Amino acid sequence: MDATDRIAADAIWAMRSAIAEANGSEVVFACDVDADGAVSSADPVARGVQDMVAAPLANLRRGAVVIHNHPSGQLQPSRADVLIAADLAVSGVGAYIVNNDVTELVVVCEPDNAPAREPIDAEELGSMLDSGGALSELFPDFEPRSSQIEMLHAVAAAFNDDSILAVEAGTGVGKSFAYLLPAVQWAATNDERVVVSTATINLQQQLVDKDIPTVKQLLATDIPVVLVKGRGNYLCAKRLSELRDELSLFGVDDAQPQRSDDVLDTLFEWSRTTPTGSRSELPFVVPDEVWSDVNSDADHCSDQTCRLREVCFFQRARHEAAAARVLVVNHHLLFIDLALRVRGIGFDARAILPPFQRLVFDEAHSIETSATSLFSDSFSVRAVRKHSRRLRHERGGRSAGILQRVRRRGAEPQAIAAVVHSISATEEAADALNAIAVDRITELTFRFTSAADADLVASLLDAMRELRSRLIGLTNAIGDLLDDDDGDDQGPFQDLKLVLRRLERLSTLIESFDDMPNHTDRVFWIEIRRGGGASRTARFVSSPLDISDVMRAAVFDVFDTSVFTSATLTVGGSFGFWSGRIGLVDLPRGCRFLGLPSPYDYRANSLLAVPVDAPEPGGSEYQRFLEGFLSQLLSISEGRALVLFTSYEMLRTTSDSVRDRLAQAGIATLRQGDDDRARLLARFVEDRSSVLFATESFWQGVDAPGDTLQVVVLCRLPFRVPTDPVLMARTEAIEARGGNAFAELALPDAVMKLRQGFGRLIRRSTDRGVVVVTDVRFVNRAYGALFAASLPDTGRSFAPAAQVLEDIERFLYP
């Protein structure tokens, strides 16, 4: 094709000049396209040698074009050209190839200029949920709910108007269909991606396996939907190949017998037939230790330059996600994606997810926790050794790793020896830092503050400076070794460059600890983690003090539509606490808040009970009371109970105490930690005479309707542990500005969590049961009124324990 057919004269002149300045080598241009489809401007963004140039994939708007020249004059796209073009196409960016004179042009892929958006018809969608609507035809027992239709209209408006919406939808409103119908309709009508993010696996499975197929049937659409998993769930063919090669050369490591040839050979055979490479589909058990050596991992992934990219399971999954129009993810994965975008990838390129502009957060009450975790940065001695082990490790008494492979490519032995020496020095420094932390920190966490032990802080910072110095020495040695790069973009030198970038980032993170006074928006702390046996590892963490700015930069200011929903977003009927914590206040574009109460009759079907003569929690008297009270209560209910704690120690002590007495009554005791969470919940649902003792994660995401669950016991008001470093820092920040940290943070946070625990009871309109709060502070402290005001209007029994037990028995057996 004649280049003038697609490129304006001024842009051709600019490209010729840039190519001439590069002495005829390859140059990559980022180009704008005018309304007529012609390239109107061309900015050089990368230059390389004649057969290789870095391909920029970030910060390009949909409809733009990337053009590069082939100095040879042969314009046939190479394998690398096609792969890069495929990545660009995900973002709607085109790819062209030209000769050095910019007279000839080949189109590898066309840019995608988004068409005008078509609004969705809320009235039509709402009618599907109304009496005699399409949903009632599919499910004759379906009961229309006005609150569900109201929520659907609000969500549709958020899509049509490019706005932000927050909806508290009480249990039974039917929020999933209320947001899925507009979301799927928008995706189908406008060919745009919509991301739906949840906090729990249970809800993800419900959406993908049940709700979305129903919605697609209602809308008569077959748009592709994908459940997106983290890359660690996929087998990496390259890592598996390298590990098998090492074992064939050096033999099995006696210290790691589970990494036998048999296990890896079985994985290899499976990899040749599996369409997904997903661990969840393995027909045999692979130990975690083995899987961690062969799964897809960002620190090991050379992405476009990988020699096995065409058979990469993770890349295959990414392409499926790119083709999908509805993507279901969890908050953890979403915030990894958003963190990458904020830190440089941009919002028009592919990060973990393909680019998107419409986002629905379900279970949005947990956003602050998820965002804080994923926008934190951390390192440990294990992280250092992970990188160094990739460079060089011993197997069967012989060296293996990247250094061994670059040696076979002709790298200078002296340069390799310098890297080996630097690796040892770096590992020694990392071990020394870890030893100081685990030997001198007596608690599970330590926060760097002006009030902290000055001698300990000085020792830690000195050790970190030494580690950073050793890391700089290692990165310099690797840089010298890269002078021997053989130019193979799929060889070990590319892997070496990847490790170099990771080590440079690690060095920058360590440096931030030495510059803490200039990072007042971060919380610097250490977590002591227990390993196998008596071993302990220190994890050094930098967390955001406040996620408001992060959320604005990552969500509120960039996405056309953001919808937040949960059954628990308010405290005392106000969205103020939740919205303030995530920065959803005073936005220039605003946010609509909508509260929709549950349609269930809590007054008739639930009883809230508090034994007012219980001792206050925290002492042995309360523990003795709790054990005796639970033995009687669970005998009356014949099991069928979920008992929720705020500490595992109290859970263990209590369950151990009542187990034998319950067994005598034919009641099985299930305890968190005794089995996998999913299997534990399945056993609880199947055994109607069982009791599940649980903490933390079981306060939400447990759905056991019917006779399985008729009693929920909340053994303590769920105030967070006051020693949590990030919570402490946030508490101090509130007090520093003259606020009341208990009223502004600790109390409303506990109220929201108690509402989550309360919500485990009534899951269907026919459910009936009792919620017992054994913490007497619920009634004898002034702040207890806020807890009570935040719960539905129920029947109540606030009385001495004996009377409460009688009231419960009468309620359960009328």
Side-chain angles (χ1 to χ4, degrees):
M1 177 186 299
D2 192 315
T4 58
D5 292 343
R6 291 294 186 101
I7 309 175
D10 288 347
I12 289 177
W13 181 87
M15 293 172 68
R16 286 174 178 167
S17 299
I19 293 169
E21 289 176 5
N23 297 317
S25 294
E26 288 196 29
V27 181
V28 175
F29 300 90
C31 306
D32 290 326
V33 178
D34 63 23
D36 296 325
V39 170
S40 57
S41 66
D43 297 321
V45 293
R47 296 171 177 85
V49 296
Q50 288 219 350
D51 61 350
M52 184 177 66
V53 67
L57 302 179
N59 302 316
L60 294 168
R61 300 292 299 180
R62 176 177 291 276
V65 171
V66 168
I67 301 178
H68 78 284
N69 59 304
H70 276 190
S72 66
Q74 298 296 320
L75 303 191
Q76 181 69 25
S78 67
R79 171 181 175 275
D81 292 334
V82 173
L83 291 174
I84 291 170
D87 281 335
L88 292 170
V90 171
S91 305
V93 176
Y96 301 167
I97 302 171
V98 295
N99 59 355
N100 278 12
D101 293 331
V102 198
T103 57
E104 298 177 20
L105 177 147
V106 167
V107 176
V108 185
C109 71
E110 297 282 7
D112 179 14
N113 293 299
R117 294 164 177 163
E118 181 180 337
I120 50 179
D121 189 336
E123 292 295 335
E124 180 182 353
L125 294 178
S127 68
M128 295 180 179
L129 303 178
D130 213 340
S131 299
L135 192 57
S136 63
E137 293 179 5
L138 286 179
F139 303 102
D141 295 334
F142 171 73
E143 298 177 1
R145 286 154 282 188
S146 60
S147 54
Q148 184 181 45
I149 297 174
E150 184 178 356
M151 178 176 173
L152 181 148
H153 278 261
V155 174
F159 276 85
N160 288 337
D161 301 338
D162 292 350
S163 59
I164 302 174
L165 170 70
V167 185
E168 179 176 87
T171 304
V173 166
K175 58 184 170 61
S176 297
F177 279 99
Y179 67 70
L180 284 175
L181 276 166
V184 173
Q185 182 65 49
W186 180 274
T189 301
N190 294 288
D191 194 30
E192 281 192 6
R193 295 186 192 93
V194 177
V195 171
V196 178
S197 182
T198 79
T200 61
I201 294 174
N202 286 349
L203 182 53
Q204 289 175 6
Q205 291 174 336
Q206 175 188 319
L207 294 178
V208 173
D209 298 338
K210 181 180 176 183
D211 293 348
I212 292 178
T214 299
V215 167
K216 289 171 65 176
Q217 185 177 357
L218 290 173
L219 297 175
T221 181
D222 194 32
I223 63 167
V225 176
V226 168
L227 173 62
V228 184
K229 302 176 183 178
R231 70 185 307 149
N233 290 281
Y234 296 97
L235 180 69
C236 174
K238 180 183 177 184
R239 296 187 72 195
L240 175 61
S241 173
E242 290 175 352
L243 187 56
R244 293 180 76 226
D245 288 346
E246 287 183 6
L247 288 178
S248 67
L249 286 172
F250 307 134
V252 177
D253 186 346
D254 293 336
Q256 302 288 346
Q258 69 270 33
R259 289 181 174 85
S260 68
D261 286 335
D262 289 343
V263 174
L264 297 179
D265 287 346
T266 304
L267 265 174
F268 176 72
E269 291 303 321
W270 175 74
S271 72
R272 299 173 65 182
T273 58
T274 174
T276 67
S278 173
R279 187 181 188 183
S280 63
E281 297 181 14
L282 277 169
F284 51 91
V285 176
V286 175
D288 291 343
E289 296 84 357
V290 176
W291 184 257
S292 65
D293 275 350
V294 297
N295 68 339
S296 180
D297 179 87
D299 288 333
H300 292 77
C301 183
S302 49
D303 199 14
Q304 296 176 36
T305 61
C306 178
R307 59 186 172 83
L308 297 178
R309 192 176 192 273
E310 292 181 351
V311 295
C312 175
F313 294 114
F314 177 63
Q315 292 296 337
R316 190 177 300 170
R318 292 181 76 178
H319 287 305
E320 289 177 1
R325 286 300 171 261
V326 177
L327 289 78
V328 179
V329 304
N330 60 39
H331 294 344
H332 180 90
L333 192 66
L334 174 65
F335 279 111
I336 292 176
D337 177 89
L338 297 180
L340 291 172
R341 295 182 186 282
V342 168
R343 291 168 179 169
I345 286 180
F347 288 84
D348 295 301
R350 179 168 64 185
I352 301 296
L353 305 174
F356 59 96
Q357 276 297 315
R358 313 283 169 174
L359 176 58
V360 178
F361 283 98
D362 202 341
E363 300 176 311
H365 57 275
S366 62
I367 282 177
E368 183 182 19
T369 300
S370 298
T372 298
S373 174
L374 272 301
F375 281 95
S376 293
D377 299 305
S378 67
F379 74 92
S380 68
V381 64
R382 290 180 179 175
V384 174
R385 287 190 175 276
K386 176 181 178 181
H387 298 306
S388 65
R389 184 179 182 274
R390 189 162 184 231
L391 291 170
R392 179 181 183 273
H393 59 273
E394 298 289 330
R395 188 180 298 282
R398 298 172 64 179
S399 295
I402 294 174
L403 294 184
Q404 192 66 17
R405 297 201 298 276
V406 299
R407 184 192 302 274
R408 293 196 290 269
R409 291 293 186 100
E412 286 291 333
Q414 186 175 354
I416 293 175
V419 175
V420 172
H421 175 75
S422 292
I423 289 172
S424 298
T426 302
E427 290 179 343
E428 288 176 6
D431 289 338
L433 173 60
N434 188 72
I436 293 172
V438 300
D439 290 346
R440 298 183 57 181
I441 295 174
T442 56
E443 304 294 333
L444 293 178
T445 60
F446 172 85
R447 183 163 63 100
F448 290 88
T449 68
S450 58
D453 182 333
D455 181 60
L456 174 57
V457 170
S459 296
L460 288 166
L461 291 179
D462 283 345
M464 278 191 266
R465 293 185 192 109
E466 180 63 21
L467 174 57
R468 183 166 180 269
S469 174
R470 302 284 180 89
L471 277 169
I472 291 173
L474 176 56
T475 56
N476 288 338
I478 293 174
D480 292 341
L481 182 58
L482 284 170
D483 289 341
D484 297 328
D485 188 350
D486 60 7
D488 182 358
D489 65 356
Q490 297 177 22
F493 284 98
Q494 292 302 313
D495 294 334
L496 193 61
K497 291 176 184 177
L498 181 63
V499 175
L500 176 61
R501 289 196 293 270
R502 297 289 189 250
L503 292 173
E504 288 172 340
R505 291 176 193 170
L506 179 57
S507 177
T508 300
L509 173 58
I510 295 172
E511 184 182 25
S512 70
F513 278 78
D514 204 24
D515 194 32
M516 284 184 283
N518 293 321
H519 295 280
T520 56
D521 59 339
R522 307 289 293 184
V523 183
F524 294 89
W525 55 288
I526 301 172
E527 176 189 22
I528 305 299
R529 291 181 165 182
R530 300 190 183 279
S535 68
R536 296 193 300 165
T537 302
R539 186 172 74 102
F540 297 78
V541 190
S542 167
S543 298
L545 178 64
D546 186 329
I547 68 163
S548 297
D549 290 342
V550 167
M551 287 295 293
R552 287 174 181 172
V555 179
F556 308 141
D557 292 346
V558 292
F559 292 117
D560 292 339
T561 297
S562 298
V563 175
F564 303 85
T565 186
S566 171
T568 52
L569 294 181
T570 64
V571 175
S574 169
F575 284 90
F577 170 70
W578 171 80
S579 62
R581 295 305 306 166
I582 68 169
L584 197 56
V585 292
D586 300 327
L587 297 178
R589 63 188 298 196
C591 174
R592 180 188 177 189
F593 296 95
L594 176 64
L596 299 171
S598 171
Y600 296 157
D601 188 350
Y602 283 90
R603 184 73 180 178
N605 293 328
S606 61
L607 177 69
L608 175 63
V610 182
V612 298
D613 55 349
E616 287 205 1
S620 58
E621 288 187 12
Y622 176 72
Q623 184 62 38
R624 285 194 297 271
F625 166 82
L626 181 63
E627 292 167 5
F629 180 81
L630 284 176
S631 295
Q632 297 177 73
L633 170 62
L634 299 176
S635 295
I636 290 171
S637 68
E638 299 175 353
R640 300 182 295 175
L642 173 64
V643 186
L644 294 172
F645 298 83
T646 57
S647 79
Y648 188 77
E649 182 179 358
M650 180 183 283
L651 181 159
R652 180 182 53 78
T653 300
T654 306
S655 61
D656 286 346
S657 173
V658 303
R659 183 187 300 272
D660 290 342
R661 278 174 280 180
L662 295 180
Q664 292 173 6
I667 299 170
T669 299
L670 306 176
R671 184 169 69 182
Q672 181 181 350
D674 288 348
D675 201 348
D676 170 80
R677 186 181 193 274
R679 286 194 294 268
L680 202 60
L681 281 173
R683 289 173 59 192
F684 176 60
V685 171
E686 291 169 4
D687 186 349
R688 296 190 177 186
S689 62
S690 64
V691 176
L692 176 55
F693 291 79
T695 184
E696 197 56 39
S697 64
F698 285 77
W699 283 72
Q700 61 177 327
V702 175
D703 190 7
D707 294 339
T708 294
L709 179 58
Q710 292 200 318
V711 175
V712 173
V713 183
L714 310 178
C715 296
R716 194 162 185 164
L717 297 179
F719 290 104
R720 290 171 63 187
V721 180
T723 55
D724 176 85
V726 178
L727 177 62
M728 291 174 65
R730 289 171 175 170
T731 296
E732 292 170 7
I734 292 172
E735 292 173 348
R737 61 170 170 75
N740 183 323
F742 179 77
E744 295 180 36
L745 179 57
L747 178 58
D749 180 76
V751 170
M752 287 188 67
K753 187 168 183 179
L754 182 127
R755 293 188 65 203
Q756 281 290 318
F758 181 95
R760 299 313 95 210
L761 181 67
I762 304 295
R763 308 301 300 170
R764 304 289 186 273
S765 61
T766 55
D767 288 351
R768 196 168 186 276
V770 179
V771 174
V772 183
V773 180
T774 57
D775 189 336
V776 73
R777 293 176 296 175
F778 189 91
V779 293
N780 68 10
R781 296 291 180 91
Y783 58 71
L786 185 60
F787 283 99
S790 299
L791 297 178
D793 180 23
T794 66
R796 293 190 175 185
S797 174
F798 295 179
Q803 183 62 53
V804 164
L805 291 170
E806 290 182 14
D807 292 343
I808 290 173
E809 186 168 15
R810 277 195 296 269
F811 183 84
L812 292 177
Y813 309 104

